[in-house]
């Protein structure tokens, strides 16, 4: 039976290093169904959607427990190799295999025969290899059509081992969902789907000579698995509308698991997408007799009304929860004093640590600011998280070593004290920013006025009724979502359950208690997305 390759020391180092860095950059990384990952020795191809460049690969490496796989052999575009950069060294030292792309070749050709041979050899000895079948990474909410390379590798490796009818190879698809992929302290959901296992005995249709329809069919099955557990939308506008619909339908915040939140949002995206497709179909030809149904028209109108409602909240700088649960003027004033006092206290105690974080933030901001100018949004914004991770890591290490050198007589203390102070500063800063964001929202709430808020409350009640009708009668979602989703989902990382846990997690050293999965380390609520034309 295959045993798999031994784990190189550089792979272990990179895994530990970036597990640490990713946990700092992203507030919560939730991994679902890790028990479905085939164990070391079982040939396995790990495939995921690809929207965040190198960060996607690092996330998969750190999300797969060492108890399941001792290593994951990565692939990357060939242009990342042979350069005198930290990223290039990082990729090469982890045993990554270079993949040539036609778009990077002057003559538009790419010969990956030798690469495919190496990947199949790795599978035959029981390794797991990582491939992104979209073939490219880009800043877009939809999953691009998958290339057939993974299915062809499965066919080729089964054919090479056709004399062993019990030889098996698995495809493990993974759905990755970033709340805000490039923003500091946002959240990520990594969901592993049930593996598909193939053998020469059970899958003779994949043995050479193979009908290409079988390859396309397997690729379509992979696409369906990946898209079924993440938010796959043709536009950011649909995602935005679906997220406000989710918050109105089940306003639990982080008392609802991140996995449930993503799946509910995806359900609304699919509904809006279907109605949008139906609405657009009648414009194929001027004399097309197809008419949109009343349901499609109502659904499109609901989406437009949700967008207008969200736009109004953004203009005022308040959240939907303040419309749903109104506060008296006296309560607002008392909370303004509390939030401002709490922000001031946390900011003051954060000042010493902020002196250490300032070079990190400055270096990262400068690098990302210049990188954004290098190309259009769809071709550059998918690499912003990668740049922040790399530059943040390098500048952070420089701050650490510099602090140790400057305090050489006490280096044995500062070597531990500096990272601890930087982490606690980050925790205090998160709470300070959250308190200031709440303070500004409460001030704006006073400026809006009681009569205007009452009209918005009536508007929200109308939207809530229409959303509940859609969710329960059409989409088959629970009729009592606040009870159902409060009880489902289990004890998931980052989730808040009950008032005691809510209060305790507010002071947690490991991570702050978020009220909403949409939160990032910003002085405002991040609800909008940049469109490709901007």
């Amino acid at each position: 039976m295959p045993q798999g390759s031994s784990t190189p020391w550089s792979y272990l180092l990179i895994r530990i290093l970036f597990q640490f860095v990713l946990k700092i950059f992203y507030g919560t990384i939730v991994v679902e169904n890790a028990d479905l990952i085939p164990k070391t020795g079982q040939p396995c191809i790990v495939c995921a959607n690809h929207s965040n460049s190198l960060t996607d690969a690092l996330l998969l490496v750190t999300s797969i427990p060492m108890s399941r796989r001792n290593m994951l052999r990565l692939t990357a575009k060939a242009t990342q190799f042979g350069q005198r950069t930290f990223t290039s060294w990082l990729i090469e030292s982890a045993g990554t295999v270079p993949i040539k792309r036609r778009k990077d070749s002057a003559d538009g050709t790419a010969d990956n025969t030798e690469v495919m041979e190496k990947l199949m050899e790795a599978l035959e000895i029981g390794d797991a290899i990582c491939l992104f079948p979209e073939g490219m990474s880009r800043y877009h909410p939809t999953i691009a059509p998958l290339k057939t390379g993974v299915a062809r590798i499965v066919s080729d490796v089964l054919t090479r081992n056709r004399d062993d009818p019990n030889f098996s190879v698995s495809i493990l698809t993974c759905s990755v969902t970033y709340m805000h992929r490039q923003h500091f302290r946002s959240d990520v959901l990594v969901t592993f789907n049930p593996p598909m296992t193939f053998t020469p005995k059970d899958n003779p249709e994949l043995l050479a000579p193979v009908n290409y329809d079988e390859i396309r069919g397997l690729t379509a099955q992979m696409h369906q698995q990946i898209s079924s557990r993440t938010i796959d939308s043709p536009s950011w506008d649909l995602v935005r509308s679906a997220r406000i619909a989710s918050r109105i339908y089940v306003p639990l915040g982080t008392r609802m698991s991140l996995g449930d939140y993503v799946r509910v949002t995806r359900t609304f995206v699919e509904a809006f997408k279907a109605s949008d497709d139906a609405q657009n179909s009648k414009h194929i030809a001027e004399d097309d007799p197809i008419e949109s149904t009343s349901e499609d028209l109502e659904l499109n109108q609901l989406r437009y009304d949700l967008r207008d409602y969200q736009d109004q909240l953004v203009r005022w700088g308040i959240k939907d929860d303040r419309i749903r649960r109104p506060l008296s003027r006296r309560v607002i004033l008392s909370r303004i004093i509390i939030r401002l006092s709490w922000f001031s206290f946390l900011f003051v105690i954060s000042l010493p640590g902020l002196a250490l974080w300032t070079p990190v933030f400055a270096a990262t901001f400068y690098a990302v600011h210049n990188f954004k100018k290098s190309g259009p949004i769809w071709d550059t914004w998918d690499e912003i998280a990668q740049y922040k991770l790399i530059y943040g890591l390098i500048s952070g290490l420089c701050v650490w070593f510099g602090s140790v050198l400057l305090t050489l007589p006490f280096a044995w203390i500062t070597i531990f004290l500096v990272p601890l102070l930087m982490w606690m500063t980050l925790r205090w800063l998160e709470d300070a920013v959250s308190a200031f964001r709440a303070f500004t929202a409460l001030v704006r709430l006073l400026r809006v006025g009681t009569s205007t808020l009452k009209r918005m409350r009536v508007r929200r009640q109308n939207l809530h009724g229409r959303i509940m009708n859609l969710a329960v009668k059409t989409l088959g979602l629970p009729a009592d979502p606040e009870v159902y989703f409060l009880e489902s989902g289990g004890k998931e990382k980052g989730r808040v359950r009950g008032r005691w846990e809510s209060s305790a997690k507010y002071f947690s050293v490991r991570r702050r208690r978020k009220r909403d999965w949409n939160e990032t380390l910003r002085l405002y609520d991040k609800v909008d997305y940049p469109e490709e034309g901007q």
Side-chain angles (χ1 to χ4, degrees), residues 157-330:
V157 77
L158 287 178
T159 301
R160 283 165 55 123
N161 293 272
R162 68 195 314 161
D163 294 335
D164 180 3
N166 294 317
F167 174 85
S168 65
V169 59
S170 298
I171 296 178
L172 177 70
T173 60
C174 178
S175 307
V176 182
T177 309
Y178 298 91
M179 294 299 99
H180 295 284
R181 72 191 82 178
Q182 77 276 23
H183 287 312
F184 196 35
R185 305 304 290 168
S186 61
D187 303 307
V188 190
L189 176 69
V190 181
T191 303
F192 291 102
N193 303 306
M196 297 179 282
T197 303
F198 308 91
T199 65
K201 179 177 64 177
D202 297 331
N203 303 97
E205 72 280 1
L206 294 176
L207 301 179
V210 64
N211 185 333
Y212 204 71
D213 287 341
E214 299 292 343
I215 299 295
R216 284 194 289 263
L218 178 53
T219 304
Q221 191 177 354
M222 292 166 49
H223 190 287
Q224 192 279 328
Q225 266 201 348
I226 294 172
S227 64
S228 67
R229 299 293 184 90
T230 189
I231 300 172
D232 182 22
S233 169
S235 71
W236 290 117
D237 183 63
L238 283 179
V239 176
R240 188 176 185 262
S241 298
R243 285 191 168 177
I244 185 63
S246 297
R247 288 195 291 274
I248 292 176
Y249 167 66
V250 51
L252 289 174
T254 51
R255 289 185 295 161
M256 178 187 190
S257 74
L258 179 57
D260 282 338
Y261 172 71
V262 167
R263 284 183 282 275
V264 168
T265 303
R266 180 192 178 278
T267 302
F268 282 113
V269 165
E270 292 299 308
F272 292 148
K273 185 164 59 174
S275 68
D276 202 44
D277 290 343
Q279 182 78 3
N280 292 333
S281 66
K282 70 176 184 178
H283 299 299
I284 296 174
E286 288 185 6
D287 57 346
D288 193 339
I290 299 176
E291 294 291 338
S292 298
T293 65
S294 59
E295 290 81 4
D296 291 327
L297 294 174
E298 289 176 8
L299 207 50
N300 274 302
Q301 186 60 50
L302 173 60
R303 181 161 65 89
Y304 298 142
D305 290 345
L306 284 168
R307 182 173 61 189
D308 290 341
Y309 176 72
Q310 181 68 74
D311 288 344
Q312 186 63 66
L313 293 180
V314 170
R315 282 194 291 271
W316 288 338
I318 61 177
K319 298 175 71 171
D320 171 69
D321 193 55
R322 291 280 70 90
I323 304 296
R324 182 177 71 96
R325 295 189 303 181
L327 300 173
S328 67
R329 194 175 186 85
R330 186 179 66 179

Side-chain angles (χ1 to χ4, degrees), residues 5 42-47 72-76 81 95-100 112-132 149-150 152-154 156-158 160-161 167 169-170:
S5 302
Q42 167 63 29
C44 180
I45 305 176
V46 180
C47 305
L72 178 64
R73 192 175 292 278
L74 300 172
T75 56
F81 292 74
T96 306
V97 178
I99 299 288
K100 298 176 183 178
N112 284 304
T113 305
E114 186 178 344
V115 174
M116 294 301 109
E117 180 70 22
K118 288 182 179 179
L119 292 178
M120 285 189 284
E121 288 175 358
L123 289 171
E124 288 172 336
I125 62 175
D127 281 351
I129 64 174
C130 178
L131 292 169
F132 295 100
V150 173
R152 286 188 281 115
I153 289 176
V154 170
D156 290 345
V157 77
L158 287 178
R160 283 165 55 123
N161 293 272
F167 174 85
V169 59
S170 298

Side-chain angles (χ1 to χ4, degrees), residues 359-380:
V360 179
F361 292 153
T364 304
F365 175 82
Y366 180 76
V368 171
H369 179 71
N370 286 337
F371 177 71
K372 285 181 180 179
K373 300 177 182 177
S374 64
I377 285 176
W378 61 268
D379 197 35
T380 54

